[in-house]
């Protein structure tokens, strides 16, 4: 079980006031393993580096390309400001490992900004987490395949007693999750890092469902990840993961995700493209 705040932390390297990009180091921990390090976890490290180099209180959006699969080892990060204003900052984050490109990201952060307000987000109609059995209660004799899931309590919504299912299912996946051992984080940048980690993970559970009955010999690692951060939720323990894969074809799988708080506020939304690989 990993410590999300500690294991996404980026440590400054060198002179913060010197010329050129701000530099950081971080360690990719194997507590977050799915087909290697889970993509959202690696992205969260880049987000934390951007936050450490930003004067503003919270991130507004994040976009990255996954360039290589990281090893469970130290990484280097360079954070370069691209545009700064009184209330906004754009940054580029480059992550490398022994000179090999791992990830390149773009991050917007914002200060205190006044503006118009509306909320037309429409959450799915699902039960609350305390009305649902835990994953351990549903499958007491089944161990997790990947260490990543040991970092969360989980309350599945759409689940099957038998896996794989006997017929195609809709390309959707919903579950409640709660981080452990610590569920919430007061720092808006760590709270957003929690969001990135769980947003990225909805892609394959949603996109594989129409095909799982035939046990196809594929996985679909993400090529990229986009996230817009809508409502910070530093005191909300339970998050609803709401994933959908509208299209798969020509070797690619598109996916979208929304993260809802328990009171059904939209915390973050995003998506990406994944590319199929033979297992």
């Amino acid at each position: 079980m990993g410590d999300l705040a500690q294991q996404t932390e980026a440590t400054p390297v060198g002179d913060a006031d010197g010329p050129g990009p701000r530099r950081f180091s971080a360690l990719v921990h194997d507590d977050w393993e799915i087909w290697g390090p889970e993509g959202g976890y690696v992205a969260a490290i880049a987000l934390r580096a951007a936050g450490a180099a930003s004067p503003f209180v919270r991130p507004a959006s994040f976009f990255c390309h996954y360039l290589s699969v990281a090893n469970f080892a130290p990484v280097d990060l360079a954070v370069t400001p691209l545009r700064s204003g009184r209330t906004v900052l754009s940054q580029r984050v480059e992550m490398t490992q022994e000179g090999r490109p791992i990830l390149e990201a773009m991050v917007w952060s914002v200060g205190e900004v006044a503006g118009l307000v509306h909320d037309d987000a429409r959450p799915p109609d699902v039960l609350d987490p305390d009305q649902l059995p835990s994953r351990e209660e549903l499958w007491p004799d089944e161990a997790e395949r990947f260490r990543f899931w040991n970092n969360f309590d989980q309350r599945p919504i759409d689940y099957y007693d038998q896996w794989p299912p006997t017929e195609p299912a809709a390309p959707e996946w919903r579950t409640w999750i709660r981080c452990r051992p610590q569920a919430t984080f007061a720092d808006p940048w760590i709270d957003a890092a929690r969001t990135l980690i769980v947003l990225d993970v909805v892609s394959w559970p949603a996109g594989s469902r129409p095909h799982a009955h035939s046990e196809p010999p594929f996985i679909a690692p993400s090529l990229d990840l986009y996230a817009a951060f809508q409502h910070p939720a530093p005191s909300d323990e339970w998050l609803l993961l709401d994933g959908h894969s509208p299209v798969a074809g020509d070797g690619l799988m598109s996916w979208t995700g929304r993260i809802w708080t328990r009171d059904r506020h939209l915390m973050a939304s995003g998506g990406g493209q994944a590319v199929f690989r033979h297992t």
Side-chain angles (χ1 to χ4, degrees), residues 105-140:
M106 302 287 287
V107 183
W108 277 106
S109 56
V110 297
E112 296 297 329
V113 183
L116 304 177
V117 177
H118 72 265
D119 191 339
D120 192 43
R122 303 179 187 185
D125 184 13
V126 299
L127 296 175
D128 284 340
D130 52 9
Q131 298 174 290
L132 295 163
S134 69
R135 189 193 183 284
E136 290 79 7
E137 290 170 331
L138 288 169
W139 303 290

Side-chain angles (χ1 to χ4, degrees), residues 206-269:
S208 64
R209 284 199 160 206
H211 316 281
H213 69 287
S214 63
E215 300 186 77
F218 293 101
I219 60 174
S222 292
L223 294 172
D224 50 29
L225 172 64
Y226 173 74
F229 304 108
Q230 276 95 14
H231 287 288
S235 61
D236 285 66
E237 292 191 357
W238 286 102
L239 302 180
L240 173 61
L241 279 57
D242 180 13
H244 179 221
S245 176
V247 176
D250 298 319
L252 297 173
M253 184 186 79
S254 298
W255 63 275
T256 62
R258 298 181 297 174
I259 309 299
W260 303 90
T261 62
R262 184 166 179 155
D263 59 3
R264 305 310 195 266
H265 283 117
L266 184 61
M267 182 182 180
S269 58

Side-chain angles (χ1 to χ4, degrees), residues 124 157-158 170-175 198-207 209 240-246 254-260 270-271:
I157 294 170
D158 306 317
E172 300 173 345
W173 183 66
R174 298 186 180 111
T175 188
V198 298
L199 181 63
D200 180 85
V201 83
V202 306
S203 59
W204 180 247
R209 284 199 160 206
L240 173 61
L241 279 57
D242 180 13
H244 179 221
S245 176
S254 298
W255 63 275
T256 62
R258 298 181 297 174
I259 309 299
W260 303 90

Side-chain angles (χ1 to χ4, degrees), residues 182-203:
Q182 182 176 341
T184 61
F185 306 92
D187 185 322
W189 288 90
I190 304 177
D191 187 47
R194 173 178 65 146
T195 303
L196 272 186
I197 291 171
V198 298
L199 181 63
D200 180 85
V201 83
V202 306
S203 59

